[in-house]
């Protein structure tokens, strides 16, 4: 009874008053949200820059967010899925040649003199020649190679699974590291990979294209073919392989491209 009398003693607001109240609330919300956005932006601009080197240089909180997104995609996509493959007839006969950093300086390269140098613990290294690599089981893949510059092409590659290679040379301690780094023999082109993508079953150390030994422009005598990544990570002419728990330096990441560059 008492409640009822209280209710009825209230005068209901007029339509005008209702509109005013709504306006007040929505302007209030708008004002608070914009202040928040401006403050957030200022906070981002004033926040410290990340150390230049491994990546292209951005604000620390932004990088933190980028890393979280990367982790999400890493866990849910690349490492658990297989890239689509095609019948060999669909592979391009004229394979595109993109950039030649780390190769153009020595286009008349002698594959006979080449050795892959694998940097292992205690500063030691394994020096492996092409014959040894070719004696391991061969794997071929025909898939759609994608370059970040916007082209793609179905290509046919042959070589050794990187995971088979690592097992064969008993690099068990090394694959426990978080990253693998690869560089051309002259050190002018270099990339870093998270170990999961290096161990992906479709990642190859390739020595053949369309069933023939690699041409110099395509990275003779041995290149990386990593279908879960964009072209930039598919390093041509591998000279050195290394392992670490911090991100190895990466040529295009230094120029502002995404370090992960996954597909
Ligand atoms: N050593 C070396 N490897 C490299 C590059 C390079 O400039 N130098 N370019 C990368 C890029 S951007 C792409 S798209 C592919 C292209 O490989 P292709 O020339 O065999 O088509 O190689 C990758 N590997
Ligand atoms: Mo590329």
């Amino acid at each position: 009874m008492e409640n009822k009398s209280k209710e009825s003693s209230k005068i209901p607001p007029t339509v005008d008053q209702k509109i005013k109240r709504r306006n007040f609330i929505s302007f209030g919300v708008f004002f608070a949200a914009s202040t928040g956005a401006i403050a957030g932006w200022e906070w981002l601009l004033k926040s410290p820059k990340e150390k230049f080197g491994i990546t292209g240089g951005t604000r620390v909180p932004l990088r933190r967010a980028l890393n979280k997104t990367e982790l999400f995609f890493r866990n849910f996509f690349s490492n658990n899925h297989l890239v689509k493959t095609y019948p060999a007839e669909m592979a391009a006969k004229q394979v595109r040649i993109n950039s030649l950093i780390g190769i153009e300086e020595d286009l008349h390269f002698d594959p006979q003199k080449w050795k892959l140098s694998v940097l292992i613990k205690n500063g030691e290294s394994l020096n492996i020649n092409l014959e040894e690599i070719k004696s391991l089981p061969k794997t071929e893949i025909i898939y759609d190679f994608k370059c970040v510059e916007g082209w793609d092409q179905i290509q046919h590659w042959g070589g050794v699974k990187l995971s088979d290679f690592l097992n064969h040379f008993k690099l068990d301690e090394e694959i426990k590291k978080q990253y693998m780094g690869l560089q051309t023999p002259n050190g002018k082109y270099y990339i870093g990979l998270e170990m999961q993508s290096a161990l992906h079953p479709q990642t190859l150390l390739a020595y053949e294209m369309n069933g023939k030994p690699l041409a110099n422009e395509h990275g003779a005598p041995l290149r990386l073919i990593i279908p879960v990544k964009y072209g930039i990570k598919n390093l041509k002419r591998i000279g050195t392989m290394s392992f670490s728990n911090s991100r190895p330096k990466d040529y295009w990441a230094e120029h502002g491209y995404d370090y992960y560059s996954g597909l």
Side-chain angles (χ1 to χ4, degrees), residues 40-91:
W41 183 244
E42 276 190 348
W43 169 78
L44 196 57
L45 284 185
K46 282 186 192 142
S47 57
K49 272 198 176 171
E50 65 182 353
K51 244 193 278 157
F52 183 78
I54 299 302
T55 43
T58 184
R59 303 288 163 177
V60 168
L62 207 54
R63 177 63 62 196
R64 227 179 280 138
L66 286 172
N67 286 347
K68 291 239 167 71
T69 333
E70 172 185 318
L71 201 64
F72 175 83
F73 281 102
R74 260 201 216 178
N75 291 338
F76 286 89
F77 297 100
S78 294
N79 302 314
N80 305 316
H81 86 302
L82 286 183
V83 166
K84 187 172 184 223
T85 56
Y86 297 83
E89 312 85 74
M90 287 182 71

Side-chain angles (χ1 to χ4, degrees), residues 174-198:
E174 284 70 21
I175 62 174
K176 287 183 195 148
K177 296 277 166 75
Q178 287 181 48
Y179 295 96
M180 171 184 286
L182 296 175
Q183 298 197 10
T184 54
N186 66 9
K188 294 203 170 146
Y189 194 79
Y190 38 88
I191 60 131
L193 304 167
E194 342 73 68
M195 196 57 73
Q196 296 100 309
S197 66

Side-chain angles (χ1 to χ4, degrees), residues 6-186:
K6 254 190 184 168
E7 288 271 303
S8 52
S9 68
K10 265 194 189 166
I11 309 153
T14 63
V15 175
D16 251 19
Q17 278 174 322
K18 272 190 184 165
I19 292 175
K20 267 192 194 149
R21 198 173 296 163
R22 293 263 164 94
N23 274 346
F24 181 76
I25 291 170
S26 51
F27 271 110
V29 167
F30 174 73
F31 186 72
S34 0
T35 320
I38 292 168
W41 183 244
E42 276 190 348
W43 169 78
L44 196 57
L45 284 185
K46 282 186 192 142
S47 57
K49 272 198 176 171
E50 65 182 353
K51 244 193 278 157
F52 183 78
I54 299 302
T55 43
T58 184
R59 303 288 163 177
V60 168
L62 207 54
R63 177 63 62 196
R64 227 179 280 138
L66 286 172
N67 286 347
K68 291 239 167 71
T69 333
E70 172 185 318
L71 201 64
F72 175 83
F73 281 102
R74 260 201 216 178
N75 291 338
F76 286 89
F77 297 100
S78 294
N79 302 314
N80 305 316
H81 86 302
L82 286 183
V83 166
K84 187 172 184 223
T85 56
Y86 297 83
E89 312 85 74
M90 287 182 71
K93 303 285 170 291
Q94 288 285 329
V95 179
R96 274 187 84 135
I97 297 167
N98 214 51
S99 51
L100 294 168
I101 308 160
I103 291 184
E104 60 207 342
E105 301 84 358
D106 313 287
L107 256 190
H108 304 288
F109 166 82
D110 181 1
Q112 297 302 319
K113 294 198 185 123
W114 174 91
K115 274 197 166 115
L116 171 63
S117 137
V118 182
L119 309 182
I120 52 171
K121 49 191 177 287
N122 312 325
E124 289 167 51
S125 69
L126 298 176
N127 294 295
I128 304 165
N129 67 31
L130 195 59
E131 292 317 306
E132 277 179 274
I133 294 173
K134 282 190 171 171
S135 71
L136 301 178
K138 185 163 134 189
T139 304
E140 294 184 45
I141 187 165
I142 300 123
Y143 78 106
D144 195 15
F145 184 103
K146 297 187 176 83
C147 169
V148 275
E149 287 169 80
W151 57 269
D152 66 291
Q153 190 176 49
I154 296 175
Q155 300 176 345
H156 180 174
W157 301 95
V160 178
K161 271 189 197 177
L162 183 48
S163 59
D164 286 350
F165 169 89
L166 295 165
N167 284 334
H168 176 84
F169 289 100
K170 308 209 161 42
L171 298 166
D172 331 332
E173 281 308 307
E174 284 70 21
I175 62 174
K176 287 183 195 148
K177 296 277 166 75
Q178 287 181 48
Y179 295 96
M180 171 184 286
L182 296 175
Q183 298 197 10
T184 54
N186 66 9

